[in-house]
Amino acid sequence: MHTILEFPEVLRLIEDRSAAFRAALASAPDLDVQVPSCPDWTLRELAQHLGDGRRRQAAIVTAGPGAEPPAKTDPKGAPTAPRDREDLDAWLAESTGLMLDALREAGPDRGCWTWWGRSQAPQTSGAVARHQIQEIAVHTYDVQLTLGAAQPLPADVAVEGVDEFLTTVSATNVPWPFKPATIDLHATEGRSWRLTLDAGGVRCDDLAADAEPGDLTMRGPASDLVLYFYDRLPFDDLEITGDTEPMERLAEWDPNA
């Protein structure tokens, strides 16, 4: 059974990582430098992306259930991030605040549109909130990396992030078209997961303590696992045992193609 953070704690972590993003951005001497991990964007463009995305999520959560996301409109009529540093910081704080207000109003169990309809994650505002922690945390890492001061994701964020990624992004009920396999992931903080890839799709479960080793075992700090998932760290940064082909295929496979 997956351990999922209580909704108030999820919202607290969103607020915490948003504050960390703004603090890192405020320390940047130049917002027009390229972001190494997002090479198409400058820091200013990354800030625009983060603010726009939180406003977009606020609109999606507010709209409730639907087969399609609501039309793209900015709830505060401010589609462009301000260039002034103080105004930009306020705009980013407001963007997060709009999303948090929408999530609090909806509560964790209200249905809403998501892009992960065929995963293990529910299509609820609570699942959206879980994903938002990782979105903001990874982009905070991007800013820190740009400044030459990259820090690991906080342990509570990272452990939650491994579980959230595996159940939302990796898991699917689309049949696995390759040789069946099992992939075990161990976070050094003490949590372990198993991905089962077979004709039923890709399923994530907590790994039983007495389970035989899977076809592939991946081990490392939870932060390294999350940053690998999001292409911020290479595969070789993790401790790897067994056949790497299942993970290589999974990373390349598009179940919706």
Side-chain angles (χ1 to χ4, degrees), residues 123-145:
Q123 292 186 284
T124 62
S125 52
V128 168
R130 286 190 84 201
H131 189 67
Q132 289 305 302
I133 301 173
Q134 307 312 315
E135 178 93 9
I136 301 166
V138 171
H139 284 321
T140 299
Y141 173 87
D142 291 331
V143 178
Q144 295 169 346
L145 181 68

Side-chain angles (χ1 to χ4, degrees), residues 131-215:
H131 189 67
Q132 289 305 302
I133 301 173
Q134 307 312 315
E135 178 93 9
I136 301 166
V138 171
H139 284 321
T140 299
Y141 173 87
D142 291 331
V143 178
Q144 295 169 346
L145 181 68
T146 305
L147 302 178
Q151 301 174 21
L153 275 59
D156 51 356
V157 169
V159 172
E160 167 75 0
V162 176
D163 192 271
E164 196 277 333
F165 187 95
L166 295 177
T167 55
T168 302
V169 181
S170 298
T172 178
N173 58 17
V174 178
W176 176 247
F178 308 108
K179 179 183 176 181
T182 52
I183 300 172
D184 296 342
L185 300 100
H186 300 278
T188 54
E189 290 83 356
R191 286 287 304 277
S192 297
W193 301 261
R194 168 164 286 181
L195 287 177
T196 303
L197 296 70
D198 58 24
V202 178
R203 184 178 67 257
C204 177
D205 298 290
D206 286 337
L207 182 63
D210 59 353
E212 292 293 322
D215 298 298

Side-chain angles (χ1 to χ4, degrees), residues 39-123:
D40 292 336
W41 289 341
T42 64
L43 282 176
R44 189 179 299 281
E45 289 165 334
L46 179 59
Q48 174 82 54
H49 165 76
L50 199 82
D52 284 345
R54 288 350 90 200
R55 291 165 184 264
R56 177 70 175 146
Q57 290 302 320
I60 288 171
V61 170
T62 299
E68 298 292 336
K72 289 187 176 181
T73 57
D74 188 282
K76 295 292 287 186
T80 302
R83 293 196 64 83
D84 177 80
R85 288 289 193 113
E86 290 187 9
D87 291 345
L88 176 60
D89 183 76
W91 181 81
L92 287 167
E94 181 185 62
S95 300
T96 302
L98 288 168
M99 184 180 71
L100 287 171
D101 287 347
L103 288 167
R104 290 189 184 100
E105 176 67 24
D109 300 320
R110 183 180 179 186
C112 67
W113 177 86
T114 71
W115 50 262
W116 57 75
R118 302 189 72 172
S119 78
Q120 284 178 234
Q123 292 186 284

